Amino acid sequence: MNSSKINMQFDIEQYPMTDVPGGIIELRDDRTKNRWLVKLKPYLMGRFPVTGGLYSAVTQNLPVPAEAAHKPIVNVSWNDAISFCNQLSQKAGLKECYTISNNGEKILCNWDADGYRLPSEAEWQYACMAGTADYRYGELDHIAWFSDNSDGRTHAVGEKEPNPWGLYDMLGNVWEWCWDIYAEKVYGSYRIFRGGSWAEAARGCGATCRRRSHPTFMIDDLGFRIARSL
């Protein structure tokens, strides 16, 4: 094996999760000026974005470069993230959350399953804000990699300060896919991603900032983190 590559063994303990209490969160759509409340049950949220090392170990892809093992996985589509969640659930001996049919065109989520899944955007925003009320949970340069401090690249997870609930990189570093469809009548199957990235200006790195794209879309500043129902 090339010494510059590593093939991490599967170990879910390398991906710790945080208990998030239930509560109510207000979401908003700046395009339509709509606001709505979502009531959430307690759940588990990944403390970090999924890393290249964990993604490679679970999917059995080619070994990742050593320098990428502890950075967020990028260039993964929403469909890739869904598949990863089911594979991780299988390896951990948990019930898969996602049922995929019609050649991948229809995907259903069993929210009562104990396996791994993408967070809903309400879960994502609630976990990001962590009881705070502002656009950001701290001074941006201290909590996030963004265009002003990232040197044009991703960074290892956990190098910036966490939010009050111990979650790292909720803002900046990479955008994160969520489960939800964005305005289906307007955008069809487009899915939501949140949080900003290393390439984003400061204004794009905030708890309520919403973006969307086709579930097959992939780019070098978009990844994901995982959640579990309790």
Side-chain angles (χ1 to χ4, degrees), residues 29 31-32 181-190 212:
D29 184 342
R31 182 183 65 88
T32 62
I181 290 177
Y182 182 92
E184 186 172 10
K185 291 182 179 179
V186 179
Y187 292 96
S189 62
Y190 274 33
R212 71 272 180 183

Side-chain angles (χ1 to χ4, degrees), residues 64-149:
V64 297
E67 65 273 12
H70 300 290
K71 294 179 180 180
I73 186 68
V74 293
N75 290 310
V76 287
S77 68
W78 183 87
N79 290 329
D80 291 333
I82 291 295
S83 177
F84 171 88
C85 288
N86 272 359
Q87 291 179 68
L88 180 57
S89 297
Q90 292 171 3
K91 288 181 177 291
L94 302 174
K95 185 176 181 179
E96 297 176 10
C97 292
Y98 298 116
T99 301
I100 304 171
S101 59
N102 296 338
N103 295 321
E105 293 182 5
K106 186 175 182 180
I107 298 176
L108 301 177
C109 181
N110 177 2
W111 296 89
D112 293 324
D114 62 356
Y116 295 93
R117 56 177 176 77
L118 293 178
S120 69
E121 70 160 332
E123 289 175 329
W124 188 95
Q125 183 174 313
Y126 183 70
C128 178
M129 296 180 75
T132 65
D134 297 326
Y135 191 53
R136 305 185 184 100
Y137 50 83
E139 185 177 336
L140 188 58
D141 195 51
H142 294 168
I143 64 174
W145 296 109
F146 66 113
S147 60
D148 286 1
N149 67 6

Side-chain angles (χ1 to χ4, degrees), residues 49 72-75 124 135-136 140 143-155 160 169-177 193-207 209-211 217 219-224:
I73 186 68
V74 293
N75 290 310
W124 188 95
Y135 191 53
R136 305 185 184 100
L140 188 58
I143 64 174
W145 296 109
F146 66 113
S147 60
D148 286 1
N149 67 6
S150 69
D151 195 30
R153 59 187 176 88
T154 56
H155 291 259
K160 291 292 187 178
D169 299 285
M170 291 297 295
L171 299 180
N173 217 355
V174 295
W175 291 96
E176 298 180 7
W177 284 114
F193 47 90
R194 294 291 209 110
S197 79
W198 60 263
E200 201 68 31
R203 64 179 179 275
C205 297
C209 187
R210 307 168 82 219
R211 298 284 175 85
F217 177 71
I219 198 170
D220 61 358
D221 67 342
L222 174 57
F224 66 101

